Amino acid sequence: MRARLSDIAQQAEVSEATVSRVLNDRPGVAPETRQAVLTALDVLGYERPARLRKRSAGLVGLVVPELDNPIFPAFAQVIESTLAQSGFTPVLCTQSAGGVTEDEYVEMLLDRQVSGIAFVSGLHADTAANHDRYRALLARPLPVVMINGYVPGIGAPFVSCDDREAAELAVAHLVALGHRRIGLITGPDRFVPVQRKVAGWRSAMTRLAGVAESDLGPLAELSLFGVEGGEAAAGRLLDRGVTGVVCGSDLMALGAVRAARQRGLSVPGDLSVVGYDDSPLMAFTDPPLTTMRQPVIAMAVAAVRALVDEINGHGAPHSEYLFRPELVVRGSTAVVPSSARLSYARSA
C-alpha cells in the first residue's frame, strides 16, 4: 500500500497524506487537489474505492495530432473541460512525427478501460488509411466520436466544419475585392477536409470569378501542412500571377505572407491572403490575418455530448454534423492592385 500511495502521490504531485485523505473521503482537501488524486488513480490503472466511484463516470481518451498547430490545443482544451463537466476524466494523447502512433495510443487507452474515445483530425480523415480500425472499436463495442473527417459506413457520430463552404466564402470575399486570379494552398488531397476545400474553391472560382474549369489546375497547390508548405506553394503561385490566395490553415497562410515578403511584395498591397481556423493569436500577426473561423467551442461541445450519449446508451445519430464557418476579415486582404484590374480588363 505504501508503494501504491507513493505512486499516486508522485503522479498527482501531492503528499502521501493527501492521497490517503482523498482515498478515505475525508474533508480538508481542495476540490482541484482531490480531482488531481482521482485522475492519478485512473491514469495509473488503480480501482477507485467504492465510495469514490460515483464521482467519476470513467476515463475518456482524446487523440489529437501534434500541438504545433494552435487549433488542436484549442479543440483539446474545450473537449477536456466539457468532459470534466460531464463527470469524465479526459486522457490526452498527442501524436508527433516519429512518436507514438494513433493505433498505439488506442491500445493504451483500451488497457485503461476507457469509456470512449474522441478523435480529432485522425486517420479517419485520411482516405488512404485503413478504416477497419474504427469498425473494430465499434464492434467491441466502444463509443467513439470523430472530429473533422468523415468515413461513410462507420456507425459513429462525426462532427466537422463545412470545409467546402469555407473555401467558397473565402473566394467570394476576394472576388468582392476585385480579385479574379485566386490561388488555393492546402494539404495533400488524400484528406477529406482538403478534398472538400478543393471542391468549394473550384465551384466558387468558376461561378463567381468566371475562371474556366480547364484553367484552374495551375492555380491550385497541394503542399505539406504548415508554414513551410504554405511558403513553398505561395512562391509557385506568385510566379503564376495570383493576386490572392485561399489557404487550408492559418499556418499555411503565414507561410504565404512570408513568401510574398521575401520577394519584396506587400500583404495585402500586392497579395491578399485568407487563412483557415482562426487559431489563437491570428488577430495579432503582421498583418492581422483574415481567416475562416472554425466554431471550435460549438463543435467540441457537440462532439462530447454525442460521445456521452453513446456511452450512456442513448445512441447519438450516426451521421455527420456540419458546422458553418465564419469569415473574419482583418488586415491581410484588400482591394486588388490597380495593375491587376487593368490586366483583368484586357483579358476580358
Side-chain angles (χ1 to χ4, degrees), residues 262-281:
Q262 286 180 343
R263 294 173 177 232
L265 301 176
S266 164
V267 176
D270 300 302
L271 179 71
S272 285
V273 179
V274 181
Y276 179 85
D277 284 333
D278 194 28
S279 44
L281 303 182

Side-chain angles (χ1 to χ4, degrees), residues 39-306:
T39 299
L41 201 68
D42 293 336
V43 169
L44 293 172
Y46 293 128
E47 185 177 355
R48 292 189 180 196
R51 67 176 70 88
L52 300 178
R53 289 175 197 166
K54 64 181 183 296
R55 298 189 179 178
S56 174
L59 297 175
V60 168
L62 172 55
V63 183
V64 300
E66 81 292 335
L67 299 183
D68 293 342
N69 186 334
I71 197 63
F72 297 132
F75 268 112
Q77 184 177 25
V78 179
I79 292 172
E80 288 184 322
S81 63
T82 308
L83 280 170
Q85 291 168 13
S86 300
F88 290 91
T89 302
V91 179
L92 179 63
C93 301
T94 304
Q95 299 177 73
S96 59
V100 180
T101 66
E102 179 178 308
D103 289 337
E104 290 169 337
Y105 271 131
V106 167
E107 286 301 316
M108 181 199 75
L109 293 170
L110 293 177
D111 288 342
R112 301 291 189 202
Q113 298 182 328
V114 293
S115 300
I117 304 176
F119 295 92
V120 180
S121 299
L123 291 173
H124 63 281
D126 188 344
T127 59
N130 184 347
H131 296 137
D132 286 342
R133 53 175 48 88
Y134 302 115
R135 296 183 179 91
L137 287 177
L138 294 169
R140 293 180 68 93
L142 181 75
V144 301
V145 65
M146 304 182 200
I147 299 174
N148 280 337
Y150 178 64
V151 183
I154 297 291
F158 291 83
V159 174
S160 301
C161 187
D162 192 335
D163 294 284
R164 182 184 179 109
E165 183 176 7
E168 291 180 349
L169 289 172
V171 171
H173 170 62
L174 292 175
V175 168
L177 293 172
H179 297 269
R180 293 297 180 271
R181 197 161 180 81
I182 301 167
L184 174 70
I185 298 173
T186 189
D189 63 359
R190 70 178 190 270
F191 295 105
V192 173
V194 170
Q195 295 172 0
R196 291 176 172 179
K197 287 186 178 75
V198 171
W201 171 80
R202 297 184 76 92
S203 173
M205 286 295 289
T206 56
R207 180 167 44 87
L208 302 177
V211 179
E213 182 78 25
S214 57
D215 295 334
L216 289 176
L219 297 179
E221 280 289 335
L222 304 185
S223 185
L224 297 176
F225 286 115
V227 174
E228 294 76 14
E231 181 180 356
R236 294 188 289 269
L237 289 176
L238 285 168
D239 289 339
R240 298 167 197 160
V242 302
T243 60
V245 290
V246 174
C247 300
S249 74
D250 289 338
L251 293 185
M252 298 186 94
L254 295 180
V257 172
R258 179 193 290 178
R261 286 184 169 161
Q262 286 180 343
R263 294 173 177 232
L265 301 176
S266 164
V267 176
D270 300 302
L271 179 71
S272 285
V273 179
V274 181
Y276 179 85
D277 284 333
D278 194 28
S279 44
L281 303 182
M282 290 306 108
F284 306 100
T285 57
D286 181 23
L289 188 66
T290 294
T291 186
M292 299 305 306
R293 174 182 293 161
Q294 284 200 74
V296 171
I297 295 176
M299 291 172 64
V301 170
V304 171
R305 286 177 177 170

Side-chain angles (χ1 to χ4, degrees), residues 23-44:
L23 296 182
N24 289 291
D25 202 21
R26 291 175 180 165
V29 181
E32 58 271 18
T33 303
R34 182 180 298 275
Q35 185 58 49
V37 172
L38 294 178
T39 299
L41 201 68
D42 293 336
V43 169
L44 293 172

